[in-house]
mmCIF file of all heavy atoms in Angstrom:
data_model
loop_
_atom_site.group_PDB
_atom_site.id
_atom_site.type_symbol
_atom_site.label_atom_id
_atom_site.label_comp_id
_atom_site.label_asym_id
_atom_site.label_seq_id
_atom_site.Cartn_x
_atom_site.Cartn_y
_atom_site.Cartn_z
ATOM 1 N N LEU A 62 -44.501 19.748 47.436
ATOM 2 C CA LEU A 62 -45.787 19.538 46.766
ATOM 3 C C LEU A 62 -46.941 20.141 47.567
ATOM 4 O O LEU A 62 -47.998 20.426 47.020
ATOM 5 C CB LEU A 62 -46.031 18.043 46.543
ATOM 6 C CG LEU A 62 -45.068 17.342 45.589
ATOM 7 C CD1 LEU A 62 -45.339 15.836 45.580
ATOM 8 C CD2 LEU A 62 -45.174 17.916 44.188
ATOM 9 N N ARG A 63 -46.701 20.351 48.874
ATOM 10 C CA ARG A 63 -47.746 20.872 49.756
ATOM 11 C C ARG A 63 -47.587 22.359 50.065
ATOM 12 O O ARG A 63 -48.278 22.890 50.917
ATOM 13 C CB ARG A 63 -47.752 20.062 51.055
ATOM 14 C CG ARG A 63 -48.101 18.596 50.846
ATOM 15 C CD ARG A 63 -48.166 17.822 52.147
ATOM 16 N NE ARG A 63 -46.863 17.586 52.776
ATOM 17 C CZ ARG A 63 -46.019 16.617 52.433
ATOM 18 N NH1 ARG A 63 -46.311 15.799 51.446
ATOM 19 N NH2 ARG A 63 -44.892 16.453 53.080
ATOM 20 N N VAL A 64 -46.670 23.021 49.404
ATOM 21 C CA VAL A 64 -46.420 24.444 49.668
ATOM 22 C C VAL A 64 -47.346 25.290 48.804
ATOM 23 O O VAL A 64 -47.413 25.093 47.589
ATOM 24 C CB VAL A 64 -44.935 24.799 49.381
ATOM 25 C CG1 VAL A 64 -44.693 26.286 49.503
ATOM 26 C CG2 VAL A 64 -44.022 24.036 50.317
ATOM 27 N N PRO A 65 -48.059 26.236 49.425
ATOM 28 C CA PRO A 65 -48.940 27.113 48.644
ATOM 29 C C PRO A 65 -48.156 27.923 47.615
ATOM 30 O O PRO A 65 -46.986 28.276 47.831
ATOM 31 C CB PRO A 65 -49.557 28.038 49.699
ATOM 32 C CG PRO A 65 -49.316 27.378 51.014
ATOM 33 C CD PRO A 65 -48.111 26.509 50.854
ATOM 34 N N GLY A 66 -48.806 28.236 46.511
ATOM 35 C CA GLY A 66 -48.171 28.973 45.417
ATOM 36 C C GLY A 66 -47.602 30.313 45.813
ATOM 37 O O GLY A 66 -46.656 30.800 45.198
ATOM 38 N N MET A 67 -48.139 30.917 46.876
ATOM 39 C CA MET A 67 -47.635 32.228 47.279
ATOM 40 C C MET A 67 -46.203 32.155 47.813
ATOM 41 O O MET A 67 -45.536 33.167 47.945
ATOM 42 C CB MET A 67 -48.559 32.870 48.316
ATOM 43 C CG MET A 67 -48.669 32.085 49.601
ATOM 44 S SD MET A 67 -49.991 32.641 50.691
ATOM 45 C CE MET A 67 -49.387 34.200 51.247
ATOM 46 N N TYR A 68 -45.719 30.937 48.106
ATOM 47 C CA TYR A 68 -44.348 30.755 48.585
ATOM 48 C C TYR A 68 -43.464 30.115 47.516
ATOM 49 O O TYR A 68 -42.488 29.451 47.830
ATOM 50 C CB TYR A 68 -44.337 29.898 49.854
ATOM 51 C CG TYR A 68 -45.129 30.509 50.978
ATOM 52 C CD1 TYR A 68 -46.305 29.924 51.415
ATOM 53 C CD2 TYR A 68 -44.703 31.689 51.577
ATOM 54 C CE1 TYR A 68 -47.044 30.486 52.436
ATOM 55 C CE2 TYR A 68 -45.437 32.264 52.610
ATOM 56 C CZ TYR A 68 -46.606 31.664 53.029
ATOM 57 O OH TYR A 68 -47.329 32.231 54.036
ATOM 58 N N ALA A 69 -43.810 30.326 46.276
ATOM 59 C CA ALA A 69 -43.091 29.683 45.169
ATOM 60 C C ALA A 69 -41.613 30.059 45.142
ATOM 61 O O ALA A 69 -40.759 29.220 44.847
ATOM 62 C CB ALA A 69 -43.745 30.035 43.833
ATOM 63 N N GLY A 70 -41.274 31.291 45.430
ATOM 64 C CA GLY A 70 -39.866 31.717 45.423
ATOM 65 C C GLY A 70 -39.050 30.973 46.458
ATOM 66 O O GLY A 70 -37.949 30.486 46.176
ATOM 67 N N TRP A 71 -39.596 30.881 47.678
ATOM 68 C CA TRP A 71 -38.922 30.154 48.751
ATOM 69 C C TRP A 71 -38.772 28.673 48.366
ATOM 70 O O TRP A 71 -37.701 28.088 48.532
ATOM 71 C CB TRP A 71 -39.735 30.289 50.047
ATOM 72 C CG TRP A 71 -39.244 29.448 51.177
ATOM 73 C CD1 TRP A 71 -38.242 29.756 52.048
ATOM 74 C CD2 TRP A 71 -39.727 28.153 51.556
ATOM 75 N NE1 TRP A 71 -38.076 28.725 52.947
ATOM 76 C CE2 TRP A 71 -38.982 27.738 52.673
ATOM 77 C CE3 TRP A 71 -40.730 27.316 51.064
ATOM 78 C CZ2 TRP A 71 -39.201 26.521 53.303
ATOM 79 C CZ3 TRP A 71 -40.951 26.102 51.685
ATOM 80 C CH2 TRP A 71 -40.183 25.710 52.792
ATOM 81 N N ALA A 72 -39.852 28.102 47.840
ATOM 82 C CA ALA A 72 -39.848 26.686 47.465
ATOM 83 C C ALA A 72 -38.822 26.409 46.362
ATOM 84 O O ALA A 72 -38.092 25.419 46.415
ATOM 85 C CB ALA A 72 -41.242 26.251 47.018
ATOM 86 N N ASP A 73 -38.757 27.294 45.387
ATOM 87 C CA ASP A 73 -37.807 27.122 44.284
ATOM 88 C C ASP A 73 -36.369 27.184 44.792
ATOM 89 O O ASP A 73 -35.534 26.357 44.424
ATOM 90 C CB ASP A 73 -38.050 28.196 43.219
ATOM 91 C CG ASP A 73 -37.111 28.064 42.040
ATOM 92 O OD1 ASP A 73 -37.115 26.991 41.399
ATOM 93 O OD2 ASP A 73 -36.357 29.025 41.773
ATOM 94 N N GLN A 74 -36.081 28.160 45.654
ATOM 95 C CA GLN A 74 -34.728 28.298 46.205
ATOM 96 C C GLN A 74 -34.363 27.070 47.035
ATOM 97 O O GLN A 74 -33.249 26.555 46.945
ATOM 98 C CB GLN A 74 -34.639 29.570 47.057
ATOM 99 C CG GLN A 74 -33.264 29.855 47.599
ATOM 100 C CD GLN A 74 -32.278 30.265 46.524
ATOM 101 O OE1 GLN A 74 -32.667 30.721 45.454
ATOM 102 N NE2 GLN A 74 -31.003 30.109 46.806
ATOM 103 N N LEU A 75 -35.303 26.586 47.828
ATOM 104 C CA LEU A 75 -35.062 25.404 48.654
ATOM 105 C C LEU A 75 -34.793 24.180 47.785
ATOM 106 O O LEU A 75 -33.851 23.421 48.035
ATOM 107 C CB LEU A 75 -36.249 25.150 49.583
ATOM 108 C CG LEU A 75 -36.175 23.914 50.474
ATOM 109 C CD1 LEU A 75 -34.931 23.948 51.363
ATOM 110 C CD2 LEU A 75 -37.438 23.804 51.315
ATOM 111 N N TYR A 76 -35.591 23.998 46.755
ATOM 112 C CA TYR A 76 -35.408 22.845 45.864
ATOM 113 C C TYR A 76 -34.037 22.895 45.184
ATOM 114 O O TYR A 76 -33.310 21.904 45.161
ATOM 115 C CB TYR A 76 -36.523 22.797 44.814
ATOM 116 C CG TYR A 76 -36.329 21.673 43.829
ATOM 117 C CD1 TYR A 76 -36.629 20.372 44.191
ATOM 118 C CD2 TYR A 76 -35.823 21.917 42.565
ATOM 119 C CE1 TYR A 76 -36.443 19.327 43.297
ATOM 120 C CE2 TYR A 76 -35.623 20.882 41.665
ATOM 121 C CZ TYR A 76 -35.931 19.586 42.037
ATOM 122 O OH TYR A 76 -35.723 18.558 41.157
ATOM 123 N N ARG A 77 -33.685 24.065 44.648
ATOM 124 C CA ARG A 77 -32.401 24.178 43.948
ATOM 125 C C ARG A 77 -31.229 23.931 44.887
ATOM 126 O O ARG A 77 -30.247 23.263 44.532
ATOM 127 C CB ARG A 77 -32.283 25.537 43.258
ATOM 128 C CG ARG A 77 -33.164 25.612 42.010
ATOM 129 C CD ARG A 77 -33.007 26.898 41.193
ATOM 130 N NE ARG A 77 -33.588 28.027 41.920
ATOM 131 C CZ ARG A 77 -32.904 29.090 42.318
ATOM 132 N NH1 ARG A 77 -31.617 29.187 42.069
ATOM 133 N NH2 ARG A 77 -33.496 30.074 42.966
ATOM 134 N N ALA A 78 -31.307 24.453 46.115
ATOM 135 C CA ALA A 78 -30.234 24.218 47.084
ATOM 136 C C ALA A 78 -30.160 22.740 47.459
ATOM 137 O O ALA A 78 -29.063 22.167 47.554
ATOM 138 C CB ALA A 78 -30.456 25.078 48.329
ATOM 139 N N ALA A 79 -31.326 22.112 47.655
ATOM 140 C CA ALA A 79 -31.357 20.708 48.077
ATOM 141 C C ALA A 79 -30.757 19.777 47.029
ATOM 142 O O ALA A 79 -29.988 18.871 47.365
ATOM 143 C CB ALA A 79 -32.791 20.287 48.402
ATOM 144 N N VAL A 80 -31.099 19.983 45.763
ATOM 145 C CA VAL A 80 -30.562 19.076 44.741
ATOM 146 C C VAL A 80 -29.100 19.376 44.425
ATOM 147 O O VAL A 80 -28.387 18.510 43.915
ATOM 148 C CB VAL A 80 -31.410 19.071 43.444
ATOM 149 C CG1 VAL A 80 -32.805 18.561 43.713
ATOM 150 C CG2 VAL A 80 -31.430 20.425 42.780
ATOM 151 N N SER A 81 -28.638 20.572 44.760
ATOM 152 C CA SER A 81 -27.237 20.877 44.479
ATOM 153 C C SER A 81 -26.286 20.194 45.464
ATOM 154 O O SER A 81 -25.113 20.014 45.163
ATOM 155 C CB SER A 81 -26.994 22.387 44.455
ATOM 156 O OG SER A 81 -26.956 22.921 45.755
ATOM 157 N N VAL A 82 -26.789 19.791 46.630
ATOM 158 C CA VAL A 82 -25.910 19.128 47.607
ATOM 159 C C VAL A 82 -25.370 17.808 47.046
ATOM 160 O O VAL A 82 -24.153 17.648 46.899
ATOM 161 C CB VAL A 82 -26.617 18.938 48.969
ATOM 162 C CG1 VAL A 82 -25.711 18.180 49.936
ATOM 163 C CG2 VAL A 82 -27.024 20.285 49.555
ATOM 164 N N PRO A 83 -26.228 16.831 46.699
ATOM 165 C CA PRO A 83 -25.666 15.586 46.154
ATOM 166 C C PRO A 83 -24.987 15.796 44.795
ATOM 167 O O PRO A 83 -24.027 15.098 44.470
ATOM 168 C CB PRO A 83 -26.868 14.647 46.043
ATOM 169 C CG PRO A 83 -28.067 15.524 46.046
ATOM 170 C CD PRO A 83 -27.689 16.747 46.834
ATOM 171 N N ALA A 84 -25.459 16.780 44.027
ATOM 172 C CA ALA A 84 -24.836 17.042 42.728
ATOM 173 C C ALA A 84 -23.394 17.504 42.912
ATOM 174 O O ALA A 84 -22.492 17.073 42.181
ATOM 175 C CB ALA A 84 -25.633 18.091 41.957
ATOM 176 N N ASN A 85 -23.141 18.355 43.890
ATOM 177 C CA ASN A 85 -21.775 18.825 44.130
ATOM 178 C C ASN A 85 -20.895 17.747 44.742
ATOM 179 O O ASN A 85 -19.703 17.679 44.455
ATOM 180 C CB ASN A 85 -21.787 20.088 44.998
ATOM 181 C CG ASN A 85 -22.059 21.319 44.165
ATOM 182 O OD1 ASN A 85 -21.255 21.701 43.331
ATOM 183 N ND2 ASN A 85 -23.218 21.917 44.368
ATOM 184 N N ILE A 86 -21.472 16.883 45.570
ATOM 185 C CA ILE A 86 -20.694 15.755 46.101
ATOM 186 C C ILE A 86 -20.274 14.851 44.946
ATOM 187 O O ILE A 86 -19.123 14.420 44.868
ATOM 188 C CB ILE A 86 -21.504 14.971 47.152
ATOM 189 C CG1 ILE A 86 -21.788 15.839 48.372
ATOM 190 C CG2 ILE A 86 -20.761 13.699 47.556
ATOM 191 C CD1 ILE A 86 -22.791 15.232 49.348
ATOM 192 N N ALA A 87 -21.205 14.585 44.028
ATOM 193 C CA ALA A 87 -20.887 13.750 42.865
ATOM 194 C C ALA A 87 -19.844 14.422 41.982
ATOM 195 O O ALA A 87 -18.911 13.765 41.502
ATOM 196 C CB ALA A 87 -22.156 13.474 42.062
ATOM 197 N N GLU A 88 -19.986 15.719 41.773
ATOM 198 C CA GLU A 88 -19.003 16.424 40.946
ATOM 199 C C GLU A 88 -17.633 16.402 41.606
ATOM 200 O O GLU A 88 -16.611 16.225 40.943
ATOM 201 C CB GLU A 88 -19.444 17.859 40.688
ATOM 202 C CG GLU A 88 -18.534 18.554 39.704
ATOM 203 C CD GLU A 88 -19.134 19.793 39.078
ATOM 204 O OE1 GLU A 88 -20.297 20.139 39.371
ATOM 205 O OE2 GLU A 88 -18.417 20.418 38.286
ATOM 206 N N ALA A 89 -17.604 16.536 42.927
ATOM 207 C CA ALA A 89 -16.325 16.466 43.647
ATOM 208 C C ALA A 89 -15.673 15.106 43.429
ATOM 209 O O ALA A 89 -14.464 15.019 43.200
ATOM 210 C CB ALA A 89 -16.553 16.703 45.139
ATOM 211 N N HIS A 90 -16.484 14.059 43.469
ATOM 212 C CA HIS A 90 -15.964 12.696 43.273
ATOM 213 C C HIS A 90 -15.332 12.536 41.887
ATOM 214 O O HIS A 90 -14.382 11.791 41.726
ATOM 215 C CB HIS A 90 -17.086 11.680 43.464
ATOM 216 C CG HIS A 90 -16.677 10.286 43.135
ATOM 217 N ND1 HIS A 90 -15.793 9.573 43.908
ATOM 218 C CD2 HIS A 90 -17.003 9.482 42.103
ATOM 219 C CE1 HIS A 90 -15.601 8.393 43.365
ATOM 220 N NE2 HIS A 90 -16.327 8.309 42.272
ATOM 221 N N GLY A 91 -15.852 13.256 40.913
ATOM 222 C CA GLY A 91 -15.345 13.134 39.548
ATOM 223 C C GLY A 91 -14.133 13.996 39.246
ATOM 224 O O GLY A 91 -13.598 13.940 38.144
ATOM 225 N N ARG A 92 -13.699 14.789 40.187
ATOM 226 C CA ARG A 92 -12.552 15.674 39.959
ATOM 227 C C ARG A 92 -11.243 14.921 40.152
ATOM 228 O O ARG A 92 -11.168 13.924 40.860
ATOM 229 C CB ARG A 92 -12.616 16.877 40.905
ATOM 230 C CG ARG A 92 -13.772 17.800 40.613
ATOM 231 C CD ARG A 92 -13.595 18.382 39.235
ATOM 232 N NE ARG A 92 -14.773 19.106 38.795
ATOM 233 C CZ ARG A 92 -14.743 20.008 37.851
ATOM 234 N NH1 ARG A 92 -13.621 20.306 37.232
ATOM 235 N NH2 ARG A 92 -15.843 20.608 37.487
#
Side-chain angles (χ1 to χ4, degrees):
L62 295 174
R63 297 183 288 279
V64 174
M67 62 192 290
Y68 300 112
W71 173 84
D73 181 59
Q74 184 70 22
L75 178 58
Y76 177 77
R77 286 185 289 119
V80 297
S81 76
V82 177
N85 278 294
I86 295 170
E88 187 162 359
H90 174 70
R92 293 297 171 159

